[in-house]
């Protein structure tokens, strides 16, 4: 989420680290937090948590966009229902609707293929390669030169690591370039659906309850990693065998209570904790309100264009869901900014830091702070143009044409010189994306959305319009002809462009290909300015962050880097929160709430078997002694964000007690500012999962496969 | 409220008394609760609470429909803002809008007349007169004969007590006739407005927040009782002097915290705790849904008929508010019945009691239970006809005509024989009511409401239509002519009918007088059946309640009578409650919530001075040490109902710490069934009142007049 708005990352000291529970820590940082972890009651030796090859960290995996963990030695993986959704959807037919009915493989032979986009990554190695990335970079380089040199070195480090095709490597920057780590992940490509409850459990509450609490969602599903007979990742095949996971989590049904400590490990995507006050004001006063209005308008257009056509409705359902999700998150940030003047808080922190910095300038450039402010100003201006450009090109067909032409252009260079995302290693992902588009595209809807977007573009402030762009854009009334003159809506014809050379594009009569070619100079111009600005950030921000880290160190406080989709550990306690004056929410919800919410109307339709089990109080060992019934979801103060979906929530001994799946609405601001008083992550209580498996879905085979600690009677 | 539906009261054992905090106790019952009161932490000697002539009970007073208490030796009274509202409204003009701006009399001369309906009652004496009411009643009497004989004795007891015109007496039945007490109240008729905050404080949240929590209402106002120079009640006059109250409450600003005990004294109006399961099912499945639908339809008609006419809008504002209030309460009862199967709970209790009763029948009639069930059946059938009759006569003009004609008919009898409500002692009240009607009547709106009501009447089940009524009713299309042919909408002409004899009515050409005369036989028929049923109830229920009390006594549990607008004491603790699964509300709200709710749009417009004082944190001694700010409202588990508005909430030492003013929505069911887990009364924290007086309204004169205990620093 927020792909465009996180590009202009700038940093502001880890002021937040002063507060308990904040922090998405790199595992190797955890020894700095030893006393804090001990204080809240964590008993697992902290040093064990730093070693990715040891329990429990070696049980943590990721899937695209989500986190997960092994729960048996035979590659059994537990994650969220919404993380396994693509695999469930892919195998569903009108006759066998696994979305509505759920699916349980009673034996291994019944486990269903997850499809090409269902991958499992196991992080095996993390190396500090900062020196190899930064050594000898001339300080005289322009931003863009520096950016491109760093990219070249990063690509070389990746290529060196990916000689074995079983692995996928990456070299993400931490603190925007202060440090670089090379991460080597085993990439398992045969992943099967083992078990998912009905979406009446797994997605109970649906979009209505998204980001809300009290929550009553059984957001869990089970996958299994398969490999070739040689034990190495292989393309999907019936001959493959379950992956022998070296490690797995023990599941504890002993439960937690308010105040108990938890650890949470996973792959948080992106945060913006170190934004400067000016950037917060820009987001709050200009950027976000514009985006929310744009998304609202887009949703209205989709609703009108799909009305009365159930097939289109289905095709755009996930698009709408996605836009709604981002819109709710953006609005949540705006609401958070309105509730608390975060810019003013950051003003104070920024002033404190700048005062300290003037006294302890050390090795940093004398002009560092001025350079930073300048870079941020340039970044905000460019961001406005980038946003306007995205509005001016808001068509899936045009986006496909741009990707295809860009691929052809990059293909003219030798592979290591191509821009990241357009190398040989990316080709299968691009192809998958261009294929998948058919599931969510109708040319007439795309045309309506694009026409409306062009209207919106026309109304944007003149300063936002990229130079030379306006003259190249089609007039809204010309769109019907444009769409008639393109074949890109046809999947086979769209895919046929992969591998064609740039000249073929320039000669094409396809209207969208022609438009993409025409827009290329403007797009390249924006990209080059982005490279220049990013290169400058990568020069300035590491200096700035070094100073911030030194400042915090002088106060005895460690600093964690913004999330960047790498493995992190966070911790906290099971805790309620004050949602409004006079209202406390959480920490637990129970099956009583499932009944309370059940209206019989989507998204509040609980399965009959579930309601009966509740009514008959068949709770067994899963009944919480304090609540007197089965808990469903619970809140903790851990620090999470998108990408943490499916993350293992562990008790003080490192046993699995829950799955992270969402945050409360009031917490949305945490991506920019962690307010420990109100920020809460929402987890599935593992007792609910186990109880549903036992009493509703009779998944006895899986309950037997896992190692489960039951409470003493 | 619920005037019609409480007539058919029948009783079911005080099963609820087993739970803590339930019970609206007669002061003389309190010694039975000594250990319970001690357990929760009450330190004031319990025996003191039983004596109405001693502190603190002698500081408790009532106003029409509300409770209040003296807070100075000079007759200063504190009650709710909504209880003092009539006095505020009466003195407001467009130039001096005390509703919007509040009013503070800086000295006694500036205190404003409260008007003829603003009365203060001080209960001085309560005598058990059961024997005088019941002695020697022949068991062979019919229900109606018995009813009329009891009424005659009650009227005689009242007349004997009211020889001194400074007093108003009543002889209410307890447990529907098991006991009768004669209550003698000093009636003070010169009551002045001393101080009220702006309704932006006193009614903050308005109808939107009615019955809701979290609540942020400063629902308080101050009145002063005035008497003649001889110290005795007198008609309003500038020569009157402040009443020298023998007792008053000390105000404590020391505050409460969750779990602290409270005592609450006041005049609860009416409860139905002893209903039998059949009556609950009748209310739930038939009666209440019909009433809610009728009120919704009536509101829609008023909205349509007043649309575009601001003057009518104003006139019907309080009518609409009243209907909305009853409708929300009735719907709240239905929601409560839906949430919890109270009928089923009562089934179990009823069966337990009947089993016990068969073993311990004692002196009770062998046919008692069958007689009770029979009376309840007859009562429900008559209730349906009474409701249909009220729909068929749903016009303010017709109601006036009926009152006037009834008055003339009763006037033919000697005063002691007249029906209660139509005696000489009632005349001033009738006149006040018929006068006040001009503030809330527009003939065209009344016509629209009556036309719609006649339509609704037509659709009611045939069994509900009283015999002979249909033929007497006007056809809806005849209403325009009917309204044209009546002068009752003119206040002077309406009042001129008071004192005319019945013959004058029978000769009148006024269309509504004629209709009232025509309907008289049907009305009298229904009333006589009501007397018969009530007389039967008064014969049976005391036997039934005696058995229930004996049964509860065998379990060591005291029994309290249903509320009947007499002085009661209840107790409880400051406590939050689980509003929904995963949501806890209360116990406190704070000034932070006032800011949180302030939208600048009615009813959420907080005064600028208030917002500033909050922003500047000028909290002084009123800051709660745990909350870190000023509390506004709080919840307790005390047992209250309508009529308890303005009741003194006292701490363990009997000092004033709050004013009762509402209940939560989930609590509404308590009038029928007290569920201690969720029932909470809403109180103004006295610290908010004192803080507003000091920081916002600068009512230093009153702060000085009261005896206030401030917290130690």
């Amino acid at each position: 989420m927020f792909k465009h708005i996180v590009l202009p990352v700038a940093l502001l000291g880890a002021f937040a680290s002063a507060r308990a529970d904040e922090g998405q820590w790199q595992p190797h940082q955890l020894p700095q937090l030893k006393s804090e972890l001990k204080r809240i009651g964590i008993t697992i030796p902290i040093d064990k948590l730093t070693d990715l090859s040891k329990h429990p960290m070696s049980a943590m995996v990721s899937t695209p966009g989500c986190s997960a963990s092994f729960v048996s030695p035979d590659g059994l993986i537990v994650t969220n229902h919404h993380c396994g959704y693509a695999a469930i959807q892919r195998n569903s037919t009108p006759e066998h609707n696994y979305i509505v009915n759920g699916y349980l493989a009673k034996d291994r032979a019944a486990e269903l293929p997850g499809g090409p986009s269902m991958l499992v990554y196991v992080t095996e190695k993390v190396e500090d390669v900062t020196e190899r990335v930064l050594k000898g970079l001339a300080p005289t380089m322009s931003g863009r030169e520096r950016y491109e040199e760093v990219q070249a070195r990063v690509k070389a480090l990746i290529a060196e690591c990916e000689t074995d095709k079983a692995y996928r490597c990456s070299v993400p920057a931490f603190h925007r370039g202060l440090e670089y780590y090379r991460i080597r992940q085993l990439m398992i490509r045969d992943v099967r659906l083992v078990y998912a409850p009905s979406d009446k459990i797994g997605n109970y509450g649906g979009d209505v309850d998204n980001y809300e609490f009290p929550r009553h969602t059984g957001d869990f599903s089970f996958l299994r990693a398969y490999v070739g007979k040689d034990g190495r990742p292989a393309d999907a095949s019936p001959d493959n065998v379950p992956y022998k996971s070296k490690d797995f989590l023990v599941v504890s049904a002993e439960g937690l209570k308010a105040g108990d400590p938890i650890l949470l490990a996973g792959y948080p995507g992106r945060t913006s904790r170190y934004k400067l006050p000016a950037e917060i004001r820009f987001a709050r006063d200009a950027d976000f309100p514009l985006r929310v209005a744009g998304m609202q308008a887009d949703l209205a257009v989709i609703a009108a264009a799909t009305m009365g056509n159930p097939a289109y409705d289905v095709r755009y359902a996930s698009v709408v869901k996605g836009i709604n999700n981002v819109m709710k998150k953006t609005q949540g940030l705006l609401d958070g900014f309105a509730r608390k003047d975060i810019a003013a808080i950051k003003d104070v922190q920024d002033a404190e830091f700048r005062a300290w910095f003037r006294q302890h300038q050390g090795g940093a450039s004398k002009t560092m702070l001025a350079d930073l402010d300048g870079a941020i100003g340039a970044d905000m201006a460019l961001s406005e143009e980038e946003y306007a450009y995205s509005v001016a090109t808001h068509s899936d067909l045009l986006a496909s044409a741009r990707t295809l032409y860009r691929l052809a252009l990059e293909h003219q260079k030798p592979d290591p010189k191509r821009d990241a995302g357009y190398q040989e290693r990316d080709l299968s992902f691009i192809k998958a994306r261009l294929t998948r588009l058919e599931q969510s595209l109708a040319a007439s809807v795309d045309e309506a959305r694009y026409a409306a977007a062009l209207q919106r573009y026309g109304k944007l402030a003149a300063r936002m319009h990229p130079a030379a762009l306006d003259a190249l854009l089609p007039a809204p009334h010309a769109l019907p002809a444009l769409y008639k003159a393109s074949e890109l809506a046809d999947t086979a014809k769209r895919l046929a462009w992969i591998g064609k050379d740039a000249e073929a594009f320039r000669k094409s009569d396809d209207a969208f290909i022609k438009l993409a070619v025409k827009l290329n100079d403007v797009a390249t111009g924006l990209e080059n300015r982005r490279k220049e600005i990013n290169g400058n950030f990568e020069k300035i921000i590491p200096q700035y962050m070094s100073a911030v880290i030194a400042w915090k160190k002088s106060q005895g406080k460690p600093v964690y880097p913004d999330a960047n989709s790498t493995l992190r550990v966070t911790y906290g306690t099971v805790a309620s929160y004050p949602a409004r004056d006079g209202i406390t929410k959480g920490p637990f919800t129970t099956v009583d709430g499932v009944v309370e919410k059940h209206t019989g109307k989507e998204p509040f339709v609980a399965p009959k078997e579930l309601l009966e089990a509740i009514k008959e109080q068949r709770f067994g060992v899963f009944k919480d002694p304090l609540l007197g019934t089965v808990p469903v979801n619970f809140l903790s103060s851990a620090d999470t964000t998108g990408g943490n979906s499916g993350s293992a929530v562990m008790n003080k001994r490192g046993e699995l007690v829950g799955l992270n799946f969402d945050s409360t609405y009031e917490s949305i601001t945490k991506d920019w500012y962690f307010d420990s008083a109100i920020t809460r992550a929402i987890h599935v209580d593992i007792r609910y999962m186990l109880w549903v498996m036992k009493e509703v879905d009779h998944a006895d085979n899986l309950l037997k496969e896992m190692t489960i600690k039951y409470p003493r009677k």
Side-chain angles (χ1 to χ4, degrees), chain A residues 124-135:
Chain A
E124 290 201 346
K125 197 174 173 186
V126 176
E127 299 164 86
D128 187 340
V129 292
T130 310
E131 210 188 315
R132 287 185 63 186
V133 175
L134 298 180
K135 196 180 179 181

Side-chain angles (χ1 to χ4, degrees), chain A residues 558-636:
Chain A
V559 173
Y560 62 92
D562 260 324
N564 58 356
S565 297
T566 60
L567 183 57
R568 302 292 179 96
V569 176
T570 173
Y571 62 92
T573 51
V574 177
S576 62
Y577 76 103
R580 274 195 295 144
D581 186 53
I583 294 191
T584 304
K585 292 189 175 179
F588 287 95
T589 62
T590 73
V591 291
D592 293 352
V594 174
V595 178
E596 212 172 78
K597 282 185 178 172
H598 172 81
T599 57
K601 278 190 198 133
E602 289 293 351
F604 296 106
V605 186
K608 217 192 312 177
E609 302 75 19
L610 181 74
L611 292 173
E612 269 167 21
I614 297 169
K615 197 174 174 194
E616 293 166 13
Q617 306 206 10
R618 300 199 310 264
F619 300 148
V621 294
F622 305 110
K623 176 166 151 178
D624 182 278
L626 294 174
L627 303 169
T629 182
V630 178
V632 175
N633 294 155
F634 67 97
L635 299 174
S636 86

Side-chain angles (χ1 to χ4, degrees), chain A residues 60 98 127 159-160 227 235-236 262 268 296 306 357 388 398 412 445 450 478 484 557 584 596 620 690:
Chain A
M60 307 303 158
Y98 302 141
E127 299 164 86
E160 176 186 294
V227 289
D235 288 337
I262 60 120
Q296 277 170 338
T306 56
F357 182 67
L398 178 53
Q412 296 171 336
V445 181
Y450 192 26
K484 272 200 201 79
K557 291 169 189 160
T584 304
E596 212 172 78
L690 296 172

